[in-house]
Amino acid sequence: MKSEKLKDCRAVVIDYRLFLSLLFAVYCLLSAVFPAYALDVKREALPNGLTLLVVEKRNLPVVMVTVGIKAGTLMEPEEKAGLSNLTAELLTEGTRNRTSAQISEEIEFVGASLDSSGGDDYITVALSVLKKDIELGFSILSDIIVNPNFPETELNRKKALIKGSIKAQEEEPGAVASKAFKKAIFGNHPYGRPVEGAVETLDALTREDIVSFHSRYYVPNDSVMAVVGDISSDEVKSLMAKYFDRWKPQKLDSPQSRVATTLPHSPEPLKGRKVIKINRDLTQANIIMGHLGIKRDNPDYYAVSIANYILGSGGFASRLMQNIRDEKGLAYDVHSFFTTNKEKGAFQVGVQTKNESANAVVAEILKEIKRIREEPISDTELQDARAYLTGSFPLRIDTSRKIADFLVAVEYYGLGLDYIDKYKDYINAVTKDDVLRVAKKYLDPERFALIIVADQEKASLKY
């Protein structure tokens, strides 16, 4: 019976790999046939300082707008954690001209969508609307960005919702491990705390805090707008002049001033191993281990992407999956990734395994990190990683919504509008020596944070 089950599992894995291979082949074919990289992006700095990016796509009568405003958690002080996210989430909850209910009714009546959300580096406001309703869409979009009034009733309601979400996350082992990991490697830096803040800091936030934060940071000359769809650059500029005429530029804080008022310090690398054990009555141990990573504008980003694909982000093709899942049978899934931000992000490996297998899994992860630092990758691994990363890249911009979001990120991180055209060349220029060099430089098997949420008695972690 056990043998039959094993055969069935292997058959499923083989079928899944065949499916992935076919899917990947389709990706490559599509990317070769259709020049998905080519986007005619019109970039312009408007008189109020707003950076406007427009891509005209007339295939559907729809317009997607993404506004990125440099008002993320990087801009909030530690004692007011959650201020940035709360401000963003309240944008759609009432303005000087519309109540929260009116905004929802007007948007829903025309089948549009309007959302705002926080982030580490910048907050985003996203509008999706039919071309025939573009005037209404821009009217409401400008209203929530320029004229929010942050009513007390909505403030209290939103606080309660966020606090409820925070408390719910405390019951999720994965969320508990992730929160502890961020705190371990980033410390008091804004990246080290949840975007939504903490119950205690949310309770202390006042309407005056939010009004002041909005007034200081929601300025056009520190913002990016990307518009994609059935609309021309001239049409967008006409709408901007009509609906955003009251969005005036302001004098920006100097970078030094911002650092002094919001950033306690840049995150420092760990000086050794930092092990955090959180005891929970669980059958599966939730493990996260890693350390500081790289900034998004680091020129080694592309070599790091290939190294990470081979190590742990390449799904069934990655070394961690082949070792820990296929060969040892210690976990269903194991993965690694780099988060890249304005400041240094994180490198981390995440896995769930039986409590009793925790030591074995950690040992194998460290073994694979050491191996990719010490041994050159094979020609096949390099070619497969290049093929996947370049072949799957068009999927990141295969809808107007994705394009709008992508362009805001490209502009914010200063990657250049030719980034879309050059990405394939950047990846294909990476050599085996590059991968070995960046693995030695950015992966550390000695100084890392190890978080384990598990039944600690059964896990008996030796680290």
Side-chain angles (χ1 to χ4, degrees):
M1 180 67 73
K2 185 176 180 180
S3 174
E4 290 300 318
K5 286 185 177 179
L6 185 60
K7 287 180 181 177
D8 290 344
C9 289
R10 285 174 175 167
V12 169
V13 170
I14 291 171
D15 288 346
Y16 190 64
R17 286 176 172 169
L18 179 61
F19 171 75
L20 286 180
S21 299
L22 291 172
L23 187 62
F24 176 66
V26 172
Y27 292 164
C28 294
L29 179 63
L30 287 173
S31 64
V33 173
F34 300 106
Y37 288 59
L39 286 176
D40 183 12
V41 185
K42 290 184 169 56
R43 180 186 187 280
E44 189 169 347
L46 299 188
N48 65 0
L50 177 74
T51 299
L52 178 64
L53 308 167
V54 180
V55 176
E56 190 173 334
K57 289 172 67 72
R58 299 287 188 180
N59 54 327
L60 291 172
V62 178
V63 178
M64 304 289 175
V65 183
T66 299
V67 183
I69 300 172
K70 296 179 186 176
T73 55
L74 274 179
M75 301 302 170
E76 68 183 17
E78 183 179 6
E79 67 274 14
K80 296 188 184 299
L83 174 59
S84 165
N85 179 65
L86 185 58
T87 305
E89 295 214 1
L90 282 169
L91 292 178
T92 57
E93 303 300 340
T95 71
R96 295 172 193 150
N97 307 304
R98 294 175 173 91
T99 64
S100 174
Q102 287 174 322
I103 292 171
S104 296
E105 289 169 4
E106 289 186 53
I107 287 294
E108 290 174 7
F109 186 75
V110 298
S113 68
L114 180 66
D115 299 296
S116 56
S117 57
D120 281 329
D121 290 337
Y122 57 89
I123 70 98
T124 55
V125 183
L127 168 70
S128 305
V129 66
L130 290 172
K131 174 62 182 295
K132 68 181 181 63
D133 300 312
I134 192 66
E135 293 273 351
L136 175 67
F138 264 71
S139 172
I140 300 176
L141 180 67
S142 66
D143 203 18
I144 67 166
I145 291 176
V146 181
N147 305 313
N149 63 349
F150 307 113
E152 287 281 0
T153 52
E154 297 299 336
L155 169 61
N156 293 330
R157 185 180 67 84
K158 188 65 75 173
K159 274 186 180 182
L161 286 173
I162 296 174
K163 288 192 292 184
S165 174
I166 292 173
K167 290 178 179 176
Q169 288 179 22
E170 293 172 356
E171 303 300 319
E172 294 292 333
V176 171
S178 179
K179 181 179 177 182
F181 176 74
K182 292 178 69 174
K183 183 67 177 176
I185 65 168
F186 291 115
N188 292 331
H189 188 276
Y191 291 169
R193 56 182 184 254
V195 169
E196 60 269 26
V199 171
E200 300 75 21
T201 55
L202 283 171
D203 281 336
L205 293 177
T206 66
R207 181 177 180 278
E208 288 68 33
D209 291 326
I210 292 167
V211 170
S212 175
F213 189 81
H214 177 269
S215 176
R216 183 176 182 183
Y217 294 113
Y218 280 62
V219 295
N221 44 321
D222 223 6
S223 302
V224 179
M225 176 184 286
V227 184
V228 181
D230 187 11
I231 195 165
S232 69
S233 178
D234 287 342
E235 288 176 291
V236 175
K237 285 187 285 186
S238 176
L239 289 165
M240 293 300 296
K242 183 175 181 179
Y243 293 106
F244 280 88
D245 60 315
R246 294 185 64 239
W247 204 17
K248 304 296 184 184
Q250 296 182 32
K251 183 180 179 181
L252 301 175
D253 294 341
S254 68
Q256 295 78 10
S257 172
R258 286 187 170 180
V259 169
T261 56
T262 60
L263 301 181
H265 58 76
S266 295
E268 295 288 338
L270 295 170
K271 293 181 170 56
R273 291 182 183 180
K274 188 172 188 176
V275 180
I276 298 175
K277 302 175 183 177
I278 301 173
N279 194 40
R280 292 289 171 91
D281 183 17
L282 301 169
T283 56
Q284 292 275 309
N286 286 257
I287 299 171
I288 298 179
M289 54 190 300
H291 46 67
L292 285 180
I294 61 174
K295 296 181 179 181
R296 180 58 188 86
D297 60 0
N298 189 320
D300 284 333
Y301 172 82
Y302 308 98
V304 167
S305 296
I306 287 190
N308 184 52
Y309 178 88
I310 295 168
L311 176 65
S313 77
F316 289 104
S318 76
R319 291 181 176 183
L320 287 174
M321 280 288 273
Q322 290 177 357
N323 179 342
I324 293 173
R325 175 190 158 112
D326 295 352
E327 296 175 14
K328 306 287 190 314
L330 294 172
Y332 181 78
D333 179 39
V334 54
H335 54 271
S336 69
F337 59 89
F338 280 81
T339 57
T340 53
N341 297 81
K342 198 71 172 178
E343 300 282 338
K344 281 185 178 178
F347 160 73
Q348 67 184 76
V349 179
V351 61
Q352 290 184 22
T353 186
K354 290 191 298 185
N355 289 312
E356 294 80 359
S357 303
N359 281 307
V361 167
V362 171
E364 293 303 321
I365 292 171
L366 291 173
K367 175 183 168 184
E368 291 299 342
I369 290 176
K370 290 177 181 174
R371 179 182 164 210
I372 201 168
R373 280 169 46 94
E374 296 169 359
E375 300 175 9
I377 61 172
S378 69
D379 290 333
T380 300
E381 285 178 316
L382 178 61
Q383 290 166 7
D384 288 350
R386 284 175 174 171
Y388 180 83
L389 292 173
T390 57
S392 62
F393 182 76
L395 295 178
R396 295 163 61 184
I397 50 173
D398 63 350
T399 67
S400 294
R401 165 54 56 210
K402 289 182 183 178
I403 293 171
D405 294 346
F406 185 81
L407 289 176
V408 168
V410 166
E411 180 70 24
Y412 181 77
Y413 294 117
L415 305 181
L417 290 183
D418 59 354
Y419 172 75
I420 293 174
D421 300 319
K422 291 184 175 178
Y423 177 83
K424 186 175 182 179
D425 294 335
Y426 292 149
I427 290 294
N428 285 334
V430 175
T431 67
K432 292 196 295 183
D433 287 341
D434 291 330
V435 173
L436 189 61
R437 176 180 59 79
V438 300
K440 287 179 183 291
K441 187 173 183 179
Y442 300 113
L443 298 176
D444 193 334
E446 301 297 333
R447 295 172 296 179
F448 58 85
L450 170 59
I451 316 298
I452 176 168
V453 181
D455 183 324
Q456 299 298 336
E457 183 176 351
K458 292 180 179 177
S460 298
L461 198 68
K462 65 182 181 182
Y463 294 90

